Amino acid sequence: KEFLENHAGEVLNMLLEEYTVEDAMTLMREEGREEGREEGREEGREEDVRNLLKYGMSPEQAAEALKISLETVTGIQGKMS
């Protein structure tokens, strides 16, 4: 701890030199991919809810079947109306 306190500037410069533009771009691509995957999961979940409700399931049953909150189901149901 004492070393880091006494040499914080040096340590920071060493870390910054190791973090290249390529590293930053790689990290940004990975974050973008994860965001895309999450959006896809959400869209799929919404489609599942719409289908279950369309075929007569109650919001409570749909929430239980999909293991999601009733609030999520009713929010999607509200978009359908």
Side-chain angles (χ1 to χ4, degrees), residues 6-81:
N6 293 333
H7 299 89
E10 268 183 82
V11 171
L12 183 58
N13 285 336
M14 289 169 61
L15 290 172
L16 290 175
E17 287 176 16
E18 291 296 317
Y19 191 74
T20 65
V21 172
E22 185 177 319
D23 294 334
M25 293 188 66
T26 298
L27 179 61
M28 289 170 53
R29 280 193 297 272
E30 289 172 3
E31 289 174 353
R33 285 187 193 114
E34 182 54 37
E35 286 177 20
R37 284 191 286 271
E38 181 58 31
E39 288 175 11
R41 284 190 288 268
E42 287 177 23
E43 289 172 4
R45 190 173 321 135
E46 286 190 18
E47 184 177 351
D48 291 342
V49 168
R50 285 191 300 271
N51 286 334
L52 292 177
L53 295 174
K54 179 179 161 185
Y55 289 106
M57 264 194 184
S58 71
E60 293 81 7
Q61 292 169 323
E64 187 175 332
L66 296 171
K67 298 181 180 14
I68 59 176
S69 72
L70 179 58
E71 291 78 22
T72 300
V73 173
T74 56
I76 295 168
Q77 185 179 33
K79 293 178 189 177
M80 293 172 61
S81 304

